[in-house]
PDB file of all heavy atoms in Angstrom:
ATOM      1  N   LEU A   1       3.769 -60.785  12.834  1.00 93.00           N
ATOM      2  CA  LEU A   1       4.384 -59.479  12.580  1.00 93.00           C
ATOM      3  C   LEU A   1       3.743 -58.371  13.414  1.00 93.00           C
ATOM      4  O   LEU A   1       4.137 -57.210  13.282  1.00 93.00           O
ATOM      5  CB  LEU A   1       4.263 -59.133  11.092  1.00 93.00           C
ATOM      6  CG  LEU A   1       4.936 -60.103  10.116  1.00 93.00           C
ATOM      7  CD1 LEU A   1       4.708 -59.644   8.682  1.00 93.00           C
ATOM      8  CD2 LEU A   1       6.420 -60.225  10.408  1.00 93.00           C
ATOM      9  N   TYR A   2       2.789 -58.719  14.272  1.00 95.00           N
ATOM     10  CA  TYR A   2       2.079 -57.674  15.005  1.00 95.00           C
ATOM     11  C   TYR A   2       3.015 -56.901  15.935  1.00 95.00           C
ATOM     12  O   TYR A   2       3.063 -55.665  15.886  1.00 95.00           O
ATOM     13  CB  TYR A   2       0.937 -58.298  15.813  1.00 95.00           C
ATOM     14  CG  TYR A   2      -0.014 -57.269  16.381  1.00 95.00           C
ATOM     15  CD1 TYR A   2      -0.929 -56.621  15.569  1.00 95.00           C
ATOM     16  CD2 TYR A   2       0.013 -56.925  17.723  1.00 95.00           C
ATOM     17  CE1 TYR A   2      -1.802 -55.666  16.071  1.00 95.00           C
ATOM     18  CE2 TYR A   2      -0.850 -55.979  18.245  1.00 95.00           C
ATOM     19  CZ  TYR A   2      -1.753 -55.354  17.415  1.00 95.00           C
ATOM     20  OH  TYR A   2      -2.599 -54.406  17.919  1.00 95.00           O
ATOM     21  N   LEU A   3       3.759 -57.597  16.770  1.00 94.00           N
ATOM     22  CA  LEU A   3       4.661 -56.907  17.691  1.00 94.00           C
ATOM     23  C   LEU A   3       5.787 -56.189  16.958  1.00 94.00           C
ATOM     24  O   LEU A   3       6.121 -55.039  17.311  1.00 94.00           O
ATOM     25  CB  LEU A   3       5.204 -57.897  18.730  1.00 94.00           C
ATOM     26  CG  LEU A   3       5.927 -57.294  19.930  1.00 94.00           C
ATOM     27  CD1 LEU A   3       5.041 -56.298  20.661  1.00 94.00           C
ATOM     28  CD2 LEU A   3       6.393 -58.391  20.880  1.00 94.00           C
ATOM     29  N   PRO A   4       6.427 -56.800  15.933  1.00 94.00           N
ATOM     30  CA  PRO A   4       7.430 -56.032  15.186  1.00 94.00           C
ATOM     31  C   PRO A   4       6.886 -54.741  14.572  1.00 94.00           C
ATOM     32  O   PRO A   4       7.595 -53.729  14.528  1.00 94.00           O
ATOM     33  CB  PRO A   4       7.878 -57.021  14.097  1.00 94.00           C
ATOM     34  CG  PRO A   4       7.669 -58.358  14.691  1.00 94.00           C
ATOM     35  CD  PRO A   4       6.431 -58.222  15.531  1.00 94.00           C
ATOM     36  N   VAL A   5       5.639 -54.755  14.101  1.00 95.00           N
ATOM     37  CA  VAL A   5       5.067 -53.528  13.532  1.00 95.00           C
ATOM     38  C   VAL A   5       4.895 -52.465  14.617  1.00 95.00           C
ATOM     39  O   VAL A   5       5.083 -51.264  14.358  1.00 95.00           O
ATOM     40  CB  VAL A   5       3.727 -53.840  12.832  1.00 95.00           C
ATOM     41  CG1 VAL A   5       2.938 -52.566  12.559  1.00 95.00           C
ATOM     42  CG2 VAL A   5       3.987 -54.569  11.516  1.00 95.00           C
ATOM     43  N   LEU A   6       4.562 -52.872  15.835  1.00 95.00           N
ATOM     44  CA  LEU A   6       4.482 -51.905  16.934  1.00 95.00           C
ATOM     45  C   LEU A   6       5.815 -51.189  17.138  1.00 95.00           C
ATOM     46  O   LEU A   6       5.870 -49.961  17.285  1.00 95.00           O
ATOM     47  CB  LEU A   6       4.071 -52.612  18.225  1.00 95.00           C
ATOM     48  CG  LEU A   6       2.650 -53.163  18.335  1.00 95.00           C
ATOM     49  CD1 LEU A   6       2.473 -53.873  19.662  1.00 95.00           C
ATOM     50  CD2 LEU A   6       1.617 -52.066  18.190  1.00 95.00           C
ATOM     51  N   ILE A   7       6.901 -51.977  17.158  1.00 94.00           N
ATOM     52  CA  ILE A   7       8.222 -51.377  17.363  1.00 94.00           C
ATOM     53  C   ILE A   7       8.627 -50.541  16.154  1.00 94.00           C
ATOM     54  O   ILE A   7       9.207 -49.457  16.294  1.00 94.00           O
ATOM     55  CB  ILE A   7       9.263 -52.476  17.642  1.00 94.00           C
ATOM     56  CG1 ILE A   7       8.813 -53.354  18.824  1.00 94.00           C
ATOM     57  CG2 ILE A   7      10.616 -51.856  17.940  1.00 94.00           C
ATOM     58  CD1 ILE A   7       8.622 -52.607  20.114  1.00 94.00           C
ATOM     59  N   ALA A   8       8.317 -51.047  14.947  1.00 93.00           N
ATOM     60  CA  ALA A   8       8.643 -50.279  13.745  1.00 93.00           C
ATOM     61  C   ALA A   8       7.916 -48.945  13.736  1.00 93.00           C
ATOM     62  O   ALA A   8       8.443 -47.935  13.238  1.00 93.00           O
ATOM     63  CB  ALA A   8       8.284 -51.098  12.504  1.00 93.00           C
ATOM     64  N   ALA A   9       6.694 -48.914  14.270  1.00 93.00           N
ATOM     65  CA  ALA A   9       5.951 -47.651  14.339  1.00 93.00           C
ATOM     66  C   ALA A   9       6.674 -46.635  15.215  1.00 93.00           C
ATOM     67  O   ALA A   9       6.711 -45.437  14.901  1.00 93.00           O
ATOM     68  CB  ALA A   9       4.541 -47.899  14.856  1.00 93.00           C
ATOM     69  N   LEU A  10       7.257 -47.082  16.317  1.00 91.00           N
ATOM     70  CA  LEU A  10       8.052 -46.178  17.158  1.00 91.00           C
ATOM     71  C   LEU A  10       9.259 -45.647  16.396  1.00 91.00           C
ATOM     72  O   LEU A  10       9.606 -44.462  16.491  1.00 91.00           O
ATOM     73  CB  LEU A  10       8.524 -46.919  18.412  1.00 91.00           C
ATOM     74  CG  LEU A  10       7.491 -47.222  19.494  1.00 91.00           C
ATOM     75  CD1 LEU A  10       8.146 -47.995  20.627  1.00 91.00           C
ATOM     76  CD2 LEU A  10       6.853 -45.951  20.028  1.00 91.00           C
ATOM     77  N   LEU A  11       9.903 -46.543  15.634  1.00 90.00           N
ATOM     78  CA  LEU A  11      11.086 -46.128  14.881  1.00 90.00           C
ATOM     79  C   LEU A  11      10.720 -45.094  13.821  1.00 90.00           C
ATOM     80  O   LEU A  11      11.415 -44.080  13.658  1.00 90.00           O
ATOM     81  CB  LEU A  11      11.729 -47.357  14.237  1.00 90.00           C
ATOM     82  CG  LEU A  11      13.002 -47.108  13.423  1.00 90.00           C
ATOM     83  CD1 LEU A  11      14.084 -46.484  14.302  1.00 90.00           C
ATOM     84  CD2 LEU A  11      13.487 -48.407  12.799  1.00 90.00           C
ATOM     85  N   VAL A  12       9.628 -45.323  13.099  1.00 88.00           N
ATOM     86  CA  VAL A  12       9.199 -44.367  12.074  1.00 88.00           C
ATOM     87  C   VAL A  12       8.848 -43.024  12.712  1.00 88.00           C
ATOM     88  O   VAL A  12       9.176 -41.954  12.171  1.00 88.00           O
ATOM     89  CB  VAL A  12       7.998 -44.928  11.294  1.00 88.00           C
ATOM     90  CG1 VAL A  12       7.412 -43.864  10.365  1.00 88.00           C
ATOM     91  CG2 VAL A  12       8.425 -46.144  10.482  1.00 88.00           C
ATOM     92  N   ALA A  13       8.191 -43.064  13.881  1.00 86.00           N
ATOM     93  CA  ALA A  13       7.838 -41.818  14.561  1.00 86.00           C
ATOM     94  C   ALA A  13       9.086 -41.033  14.955  1.00 86.00           C
ATOM     95  O   ALA A  13       9.140 -39.809  14.788  1.00 86.00           O
ATOM     96  CB  ALA A  13       6.988 -42.118  15.788  1.00 86.00           C
ATOM     97  N   ALA A  14      10.095 -41.743  15.472  1.00 83.00           N
ATOM     98  CA  ALA A  14      11.322 -41.061  15.895  1.00 83.00           C
ATOM     99  C   ALA A  14      12.089 -40.504  14.707  1.00 83.00           C
ATOM    100  O   ALA A  14      12.515 -39.341  14.715  1.00 83.00           O
ATOM    101  CB  ALA A  14      12.199 -42.028  16.688  1.00 83.00           C
ATOM    102  N   LEU A  15      12.274 -41.320  13.674  1.00 81.00           N
ATOM    103  CA  LEU A  15      13.022 -40.855  12.509  1.00 81.00           C
ATOM    104  C   LEU A  15      12.241 -39.789  11.742  1.00 81.00           C
ATOM    105  O   LEU A  15      12.830 -38.841  11.209  1.00 81.00           O
ATOM    106  CB  LEU A  15      13.333 -42.037  11.595  1.00 81.00           C
ATOM    107  CG  LEU A  15      14.272 -43.096  12.178  1.00 81.00           C
ATOM    108  CD1 LEU A  15      14.445 -44.245  11.200  1.00 81.00           C
ATOM    109  CD2 LEU A  15      15.624 -42.487  12.538  1.00 81.00           C
ATOM    110  N   GLY A  16      10.922 -39.943  11.684  1.00 76.00           N
ATOM    111  CA  GLY A  16      10.110 -38.938  11.016  1.00 76.00           C
ATOM    112  C   GLY A  16      10.219 -37.579  11.670  1.00 76.00           C
ATOM    113  O   GLY A  16      10.275 -36.544  10.991  1.00 76.00           O
ATOM    114  N   ALA A  17      10.262 -37.572  13.002  1.00 69.00           N
ATOM    115  CA  ALA A  17      10.401 -36.304  13.719  1.00 69.00           C
ATOM    116  C   ALA A  17      11.747 -35.657  13.412  1.00 69.00           C
ATOM    117  O   ALA A  17      11.840 -34.427  13.237  1.00 69.00           O
ATOM    118  CB  ALA A  17      10.249 -36.539  15.218  1.00 69.00           C
ATOM    119  N   GLN A  18      12.808 -36.466  13.312  1.00 68.00           N
ATOM    120  CA  GLN A  18      14.115 -35.907  12.971  1.00 68.00           C
ATOM    121  C   GLN A  18      14.122 -35.330  11.556  1.00 68.00           C
ATOM    122  O   GLN A  18      14.700 -34.262  11.305  1.00 68.00           O
ATOM    123  CB  GLN A  18      15.188 -36.992  13.111  1.00 68.00           C
ATOM    124  CG  GLN A  18      15.402 -37.468  14.541  1.00 68.00           C
ATOM    125  CD  GLN A  18      16.538 -38.461  14.653  1.00 68.00           C
ATOM    126  OE1 GLN A  18      17.473 -38.432  13.878  1.00 68.00           O
ATOM    127  NE2 GLN A  18      16.452 -39.341  15.639  1.00 68.00           N
ATOM    128  N   LEU A  19      13.478 -36.043  10.619  1.00 67.00           N
ATOM    129  CA  LEU A  19      13.410 -35.537   9.249  1.00 67.00           C
ATOM    130  C   LEU A  19      12.597 -34.251   9.176  1.00 67.00           C
ATOM    131  O   LEU A  19      12.928 -33.340   8.397  1.00 67.00           O
ATOM    132  CB  LEU A  19      12.804 -36.603   8.336  1.00 67.00           C
ATOM    133  CG  LEU A  19      13.674 -37.831   8.058  1.00 67.00           C
ATOM    134  CD1 LEU A  19      12.907 -38.860   7.238  1.00 67.00           C
ATOM    135  CD2 LEU A  19      14.956 -37.424   7.340  1.00 67.00           C
ATOM    136  N   MET A  20      11.535 -34.186   9.973  1.00 62.00           N
ATOM    137  CA  MET A  20      10.727 -32.969  10.001  1.00 62.00           C
ATOM    138  C   MET A  20      11.545 -31.777  10.500  1.00 62.00           C
ATOM    139  O   MET A  20      11.461 -30.673   9.963  1.00 62.00           O
ATOM    140  CB  MET A  20       9.499 -33.188  10.878  1.00 62.00           C
ATOM    141  CG  MET A  20       8.462 -34.127  10.287  1.00 62.00           C
ATOM    142  SD  MET A  20       7.634 -33.413   8.867  1.00 62.00           S
ATOM    143  CE  MET A  20       6.796 -32.046   9.641  1.00 62.00           C
ATOM    144  N   ARG A  21      12.342 -32.002  11.536  1.00 64.00           N
ATOM    145  CA  ARG A  21      13.178 -30.907  12.059  1.00 64.00           C
ATOM    146  C   ARG A  21      14.211 -30.482  11.017  1.00 64.00           C
ATOM    147  O   ARG A  21      14.477 -29.288  10.841  1.00 64.00           O
ATOM    148  CB  ARG A  21      13.862 -31.353  13.348  1.00 64.00           C
ATOM    149  CG  ARG A  21      12.920 -31.436  14.543  1.00 64.00           C
ATOM    150  CD  ARG A  21      13.692 -31.553  15.841  1.00 64.00           C
ATOM    151  NE  ARG A  21      14.360 -32.847  15.943  1.00 64.00           N
ATOM    152  CZ  ARG A  21      13.830 -33.912  16.515  1.00 64.00           C
ATOM    153  NH1 ARG A  21      12.591 -33.856  17.008  1.00 64.00           N
ATOM    154  NH2 ARG A  21      14.503 -35.041  16.605  1.00 64.00           N
ATOM    155  N   LEU A  22      14.788 -31.463  10.319  1.00 62.00           N
ATOM    156  CA  LEU A  22      15.759 -31.141   9.279  1.00 62.00           C
ATOM    157  C   LEU A  22      15.092 -30.375   8.133  1.00 62.00           C
ATOM    158  O   LEU A  22      15.638 -29.382   7.630  1.00 62.00           O
ATOM    159  CB  LEU A  22      16.404 -32.429   8.755  1.00 62.00           C
ATOM    160  CG  LEU A  22      17.420 -32.277   7.617  1.00 62.00           C
ATOM    161  CD1 LEU A  22      18.600 -31.421   8.073  1.00 62.00           C
ATOM    162  CD2 LEU A  22      17.900 -33.640   7.136  1.00 62.00           C
ATOM    163  N   GLY A  23      13.892 -30.822   7.735  1.00 61.00           N
ATOM    164  CA  GLY A  23      13.173 -30.137   6.662  1.00 61.00           C
ATOM    165  C   GLY A  23      12.792 -28.723   7.035  1.00 61.00           C
ATOM    166  O   GLY A  23      12.828 -27.806   6.197  1.00 61.00           O
ATOM    167  N   ALA A  24      12.424 -28.523   8.304  1.00 58.00           N
ATOM    168  CA  ALA A  24      12.050 -27.181   8.745  1.00 58.00           C
ATOM    169  C   ALA A  24      13.240 -26.226   8.700  1.00 58.00           C
ATOM    170  O   ALA A  24      13.089 -25.040   8.395  1.00 58.00           O
ATOM    171  CB  ALA A  24      11.478 -27.248  10.155  1.00 58.00           C
ATOM    172  N   ARG A  25      14.440 -26.755   8.984  1.00 61.00           N
ATOM    173  CA  ARG A  25      15.625 -25.904   8.942  1.00 61.00           C
ATOM    174  C   ARG A  25      16.022 -25.564   7.503  1.00 61.00           C
ATOM    175  O   ARG A  25      16.516 -24.477   7.236  1.00 61.00           O
ATOM    176  CB  ARG A  25      16.799 -26.601   9.650  1.00 61.00           C
ATOM    177  CG  ARG A  25      16.664 -26.642  11.160  1.00 61.00           C
ATOM    178  CD  ARG A  25      18.007 -26.932  11.813  1.00 61.00           C
ATOM    179  NE  ARG A  25      18.532 -28.231  11.407  1.00 61.00           N
ATOM    180  CZ  ARG A  25      18.340 -29.353  12.078  1.00 61.00           C
ATOM    181  NH1 ARG A  25      17.617 -29.337  13.200  1.00 61.00           N
ATOM    182  NH2 ARG A  25      18.859 -30.484  11.664  1.00 61.00           N
ATOM    183  N   LEU A  26      15.819 -26.514   6.591  1.00 62.00           N
ATOM    184  CA  LEU A  26      16.243 -26.298   5.210  1.00 62.00           C
ATOM    185  C   LEU A  26      15.211 -25.554   4.382  1.00 62.00           C
ATOM    186  O   LEU A  26      15.552 -24.940   3.367  1.00 62.00           O
ATOM    187  CB  LEU A  26      16.551 -27.649   4.549  1.00 62.00           C
ATOM    188  CG  LEU A  26      17.708 -28.450   5.165  1.00 62.00           C
ATOM    189  CD1 LEU A  26      17.857 -29.792   4.453  1.00 62.00           C
ATOM    190  CD2 LEU A  26      19.007 -27.657   5.107  1.00 62.00           C
ATOM    191  N   SER A  27      13.941 -25.631   4.783  1.00 59.00           N
ATOM    192  CA  SER A  27      12.866 -25.033   3.983  1.00 59.00           C
ATOM    193  C   SER A  27      12.672 -23.567   4.339  1.00 59.00           C
ATOM    194  O   SER A  27      12.846 -23.146   5.486  1.00 59.00           O
ATOM    195  CB  SER A  27      11.556 -25.801   4.213  1.00 59.00           C
ATOM    196  OG  SER A  27      10.495 -25.171   3.536  1.00 59.00           O
ATOM    197  N   ARG A  28      12.307 -22.773   3.333  1.00 58.00           N
ATOM    198  CA  ARG A  28      11.996 -21.370   3.587  1.00 58.00           C
ATOM    199  C   ARG A  28      10.681 -21.227   4.355  1.00 58.00           C
ATOM    200  O   ARG A  28      10.488 -20.267   5.087  1.00 58.00           O
ATOM    201  CB  ARG A  28      11.902 -20.623   2.261  1.00 58.00           C
ATOM    202  CG  ARG A  28      13.212 -20.536   1.493  1.00 58.00           C
ATOM    203  CD  ARG A  28      13.038 -19.767   0.203  1.00 58.00           C
ATOM    204  NE  ARG A  28      14.297 -19.648  -0.517  1.00 58.00           N
ATOM    205  CZ  ARG A  28      14.424 -19.033  -1.689  1.00 58.00           C
ATOM    206  NH1 ARG A  28      13.350 -18.452  -2.251  1.00 58.00           N
ATOM    207  NH2 ARG A  28      15.593 -18.972  -2.287  1.00 58.00           N
ATOM    208  N   SER A  29       9.789 -22.179   4.160  1.00 59.00           N
ATOM    209  CA  SER A  29       8.499 -22.169   4.854  1.00 59.00           C
ATOM    210  C   SER A  29       8.448 -23.350   5.822  1.00 59.00           C
ATOM    211  O   SER A  29       8.374 -24.500   5.375  1.00 59.00           O
ATOM    212  CB  SER A  29       7.348 -22.257   3.854  1.00 59.00           C
ATOM    213  OG  SER A  29       6.117 -22.399   4.528  1.00 59.00           O
ATOM    214  N   PRO A  30       8.525 -23.109   7.133  1.00 57.00           N
ATOM    215  CA  PRO A  30       8.520 -24.222   8.083  1.00 57.00           C
ATOM    216  C   PRO A  30       7.264 -25.090   7.989  1.00 57.00           C
ATOM    217  O   PRO A  30       7.301 -26.264   8.351  1.00 57.00           O
ATOM    218  CB  PRO A  30       8.601 -23.518   9.447  1.00 57.00           C
ATOM    219  CG  PRO A  30       9.177 -22.170   9.149  1.00 57.00           C
ATOM    220  CD  PRO A  30       8.671 -21.819   7.796  1.00 57.00           C
ATOM    221  N   ALA A  31       6.162 -24.526   7.517  1.00 56.00           N
ATOM    222  CA  ALA A  31       4.930 -25.307   7.441  1.00 56.00           C
ATOM    223  C   ALA A  31       4.915 -26.261   6.255  1.00 56.00           C
ATOM    224  O   ALA A  31       4.114 -27.191   6.209  1.00 56.00           O
ATOM    225  CB  ALA A  31       3.721 -24.374   7.351  1.00 56.00           C
ATOM    226  N   LEU A  32       5.818 -26.039   5.273  1.00 56.00           N
ATOM    227  CA  LEU A  32       5.807 -26.859   4.068  1.00 56.00           C
ATOM    228  C   LEU A  32       6.121 -28.328   4.359  1.00 56.00           C
ATOM    229  O   LEU A  32       5.388 -29.218   3.888  1.00 56.00           O
ATOM    230  CB  LEU A  32       6.795 -26.292   3.046  1.00 56.00           C
ATOM    231  CG  LEU A  32       6.820 -26.985   1.673  1.00 56.00           C
ATOM    232  CD1 LEU A  32       5.447 -26.904   1.019  1.00 56.00           C
ATOM    233  CD2 LEU A  32       7.884 -26.356   0.786  1.00 56.00           C
ATOM    234  N   PRO A  33       7.186 -28.639   5.106  1.00 58.00           N
ATOM    235  CA  PRO A  33       7.448 -30.058   5.396  1.00 58.00           C
ATOM    236  C   PRO A  33       6.309 -30.727   6.162  1.00 58.00           C
ATOM    237  O   PRO A  33       5.968 -31.888   5.900  1.00 58.00           O
ATOM    238  CB  PRO A  33       8.732 -30.017   6.239  1.00 58.00           C
ATOM    239  CG  PRO A  33       9.374 -28.719   5.901  1.00 58.00           C
ATOM    240  CD  PRO A  33       8.240 -27.770   5.652  1.00 58.00           C
ATOM    241  N   ALA A  34       5.697 -30.004   7.096  1.00 60.00           N
ATOM    242  CA  ALA A  34       4.599 -30.581   7.864  1.00 60.00           C
ATOM    243  C   ALA A  34       3.402 -30.863   6.967  1.00 60.00           C
ATOM    244  O   ALA A  34       2.766 -31.928   7.071  1.00 60.00           O
ATOM    245  CB  ALA A  34       4.200 -29.627   8.997  1.00 60.00           C
ATOM    246  N   GLY A  35       3.097 -29.947   6.070  1.00 65.00           N
ATOM    247  CA  GLY A  35       1.981 -30.170   5.155  1.00 65.00           C
ATOM    248  C   GLY A  35       2.231 -31.332   4.211  1.00 65.00           C
ATOM    249  O   GLY A  35       1.336 -32.150   3.955  1.00 65.00           O
ATOM    250  N   ALA A  36       3.460 -31.417   3.683  1.00 67.00           N
ATOM    251  CA  ALA A  36       3.797 -32.523   2.779  1.00 67.00           C
ATOM    252  C   ALA A  36       3.716 -33.855   3.513  1.00 67.00           C
ATOM    253  O   ALA A  36       3.215 -34.849   2.968  1.00 67.00           O
ATOM    254  CB  ALA A  36       5.195 -32.306   2.203  1.00 67.00           C
ATOM    255  N   ALA A  37       4.212 -33.885   4.754  1.00 67.00           N
ATOM    256  CA  ALA A  37       4.160 -35.116   5.537  1.00 67.00           C
ATOM    257  C   ALA A  37       2.723 -35.533   5.817  1.00 67.00           C
ATOM    258  O   ALA A  37       2.382 -36.723   5.773  1.00 67.00           O
ATOM    259  CB  ALA A  37       4.928 -34.927   6.845  1.00 67.00           C
ATOM    260  N   LEU A  38       1.862 -34.557   6.093  1.00 70.00           N
ATOM    261  CA  LEU A  38       0.458 -34.864   6.380  1.00 70.00           C
ATOM    262  C   LEU A  38      -0.232 -35.445   5.149  1.00 70.00           C
ATOM    263  O   LEU A  38      -0.967 -36.446   5.249  1.00 70.00           O
ATOM    264  CB  LEU A  38      -0.262 -33.600   6.838  1.00 70.00           C
ATOM    265  CG  LEU A  38      -1.761 -33.740   7.148  1.00 70.00           C
ATOM    266  CD1 LEU A  38      -1.981 -34.765   8.239  1.00 70.00           C
ATOM    267  CD2 LEU A  38      -2.343 -32.394   7.535  1.00 70.00           C
ATOM    268  N   LEU A  39       0.017 -34.845   3.977  1.00 77.00           N
ATOM    269  CA  LEU A  39      -0.591 -35.364   2.754  1.00 77.00           C
ATOM    270  C   LEU A  39      -0.100 -36.771   2.439  1.00 77.00           C
ATOM    271  O   LEU A  39      -0.878 -37.647   2.034  1.00 77.00           O
ATOM    272  CB  LEU A  39      -0.282 -34.422   1.581  1.00 77.00           C
ATOM    273  CG  LEU A  39      -0.976 -33.055   1.613  1.00 77.00           C
ATOM    274  CD1 LEU A  39      -0.495 -32.193   0.449  1.00 77.00           C
ATOM    275  CD2 LEU A  39      -2.492 -33.227   1.556  1.00 77.00           C
ATOM    276  N   LEU A  40       1.199 -37.003   2.626  1.00 77.00           N
ATOM    277  CA  LEU A  40       1.748 -38.334   2.393  1.00 77.00           C
ATOM    278  C   LEU A  40       1.148 -39.352   3.355  1.00 77.00           C
ATOM    279  O   LEU A  40       0.789 -40.474   2.953  1.00 77.00           O
ATOM    280  CB  LEU A  40       3.274 -38.301   2.548  1.00 77.00           C
ATOM    281  CG  LEU A  40       3.994 -39.649   2.388  1.00 77.00           C
ATOM    282  CD1 LEU A  40       3.766 -40.215   0.990  1.00 77.00           C
ATOM    283  CD2 LEU A  40       5.483 -39.492   2.684  1.00 77.00           C
ATOM    284  N   MET A  41       0.997 -38.960   4.602  1.00 78.00           N
ATOM    285  CA  MET A  41       0.427 -39.853   5.607  1.00 78.00           C
ATOM    286  C   MET A  41      -1.021 -40.213   5.260  1.00 78.00           C
ATOM    287  O   MET A  41      -1.430 -41.371   5.370  1.00 78.00           O
ATOM    288  CB  MET A  41       0.489 -39.190   6.981  1.00 78.00           C
ATOM    289  CG  MET A  41      -0.100 -40.010   8.109  1.00 78.00           C
ATOM    290  SD  MET A  41       0.051 -39.150   9.695  1.00 78.00           S
ATOM    291  CE  MET A  41      -0.934 -40.230  10.737  1.00 78.00           C
ATOM    292  N   LEU A  42      -1.805 -39.226   4.826  1.00 80.00           N
ATOM    293  CA  LEU A  42      -3.193 -39.499   4.482  1.00 80.00           C
ATOM    294  C   LEU A  42      -3.299 -40.402   3.259  1.00 80.00           C
ATOM    295  O   LEU A  42      -4.151 -41.299   3.206  1.00 80.00           O
ATOM    296  CB  LEU A  42      -3.925 -38.179   4.227  1.00 80.00           C
ATOM    297  CG  LEU A  42      -4.162 -37.290   5.459  1.00 80.00           C
ATOM    298  CD1 LEU A  42      -4.777 -35.962   5.054  1.00 80.00           C
ATOM    299  CD2 LEU A  42      -5.047 -38.007   6.480  1.00 80.00           C
ATOM    300  N   ALA A  43      -2.434 -40.194   2.270  1.00 84.00           N
ATOM    301  CA  ALA A  43      -2.453 -41.040   1.074  1.00 84.00           C
ATOM    302  C   ALA A  43      -2.085 -42.480   1.428  1.00 84.00           C
ATOM    303  O   ALA A  43      -2.727 -43.435   0.965  1.00 84.00           O
ATOM    304  CB  ALA A  43      -1.485 -40.480   0.028  1.00 84.00           C
ATOM    305  N   LEU A  44      -1.053 -42.652   2.252  1.00 85.00           N
ATOM    306  CA  LEU A  44      -0.654 -43.995   2.668  1.00 85.00           C
ATOM    307  C   LEU A  44      -1.742 -44.655   3.510  1.00 85.00           C
ATOM    308  O   LEU A  44      -1.974 -45.864   3.399  1.00 85.00           O
ATOM    309  CB  LEU A  44       0.660 -43.930   3.441  1.00 85.00           C
ATOM    310  CG  LEU A  44       1.918 -43.631   2.622  1.00 85.00           C
ATOM    311  CD1 LEU A  44       3.118 -43.464   3.543  1.00 85.00           C
ATOM    312  CD2 LEU A  44       2.181 -44.746   1.610  1.00 85.00           C
ATOM    313  N   ALA A  45      -2.398 -43.863   4.355  1.00 85.00           N
ATOM    314  CA  ALA A  45      -3.459 -44.423   5.194  1.00 85.00           C
ATOM    315  C   ALA A  45      -4.621 -44.929   4.339  1.00 85.00           C
ATOM    316  O   ALA A  45      -5.179 -46.002   4.599  1.00 85.00           O
ATOM    317  CB  ALA A  45      -3.943 -43.370   6.189  1.00 85.00           C
ATOM    318  N   TRP A  46      -4.984 -44.173   3.311  1.00 87.00           N
ATOM    319  CA  TRP A  46      -6.078 -44.599   2.424  1.00 87.00           C
ATOM    320  C   TRP A  46      -5.695 -45.886   1.676  1.00 87.00           C
ATOM    321  O   TRP A  46      -6.496 -46.805   1.556  1.00 87.00           O
ATOM    322  CB  TRP A  46      -6.400 -43.485   1.448  1.00 87.00           C
ATOM    323  CG  TRP A  46      -7.501 -43.838   0.491  1.00 87.00           C
ATOM    324  CD1 TRP A  46      -7.383 -44.204  -0.817  1.00 87.00           C
ATOM    325  CD2 TRP A  46      -8.891 -43.885   0.796  1.00 87.00           C
ATOM    326  NE1 TRP A  46      -8.613 -44.477  -1.349  1.00 87.00           N
ATOM    327  CE2 TRP A  46      -9.563 -44.289  -0.393  1.00 87.00           C
ATOM    328  CE3 TRP A  46      -9.640 -43.617   1.936  1.00 87.00           C
ATOM    329  CZ2 TRP A  46     -10.939 -44.438  -0.456  1.00 87.00           C
ATOM    330  CZ3 TRP A  46     -11.021 -43.763   1.879  1.00 87.00           C
ATOM    331  CH2 TRP A  46     -11.654 -44.165   0.694  1.00 87.00           C
TER     332      TRP A  46
END
């Protein structure tokens, strides 16, 4: 699964960036989606 995970990481990065742009447009605070994503990423990493 090593090589598939490499490709999946690219897919998550691309889709995550699109979701971030969508969240920034919908949110009153553009920094809110970025902060939430960072906290989620750190929790998943741990």
Side-chain angles (χ1 to χ4, degrees):
L1 300 179
Y2 191 75
L3 192 56
V5 165
L6 291 178
I7 305 300
L10 287 178
L11 181 59
V12 172
L15 295 177
Q18 294 184 29
L19 290 175
M20 289 291 295
R21 287 194 291 268
L22 178 61
R25 287 198 298 267
L26 297 177
S27 175
R28 294 181 178 179
S29 173
L32 185 60
L38 178 59
L39 290 176
L40 178 61
M41 179 179 172
L42 291 175
L44 288 174
W46 179 257

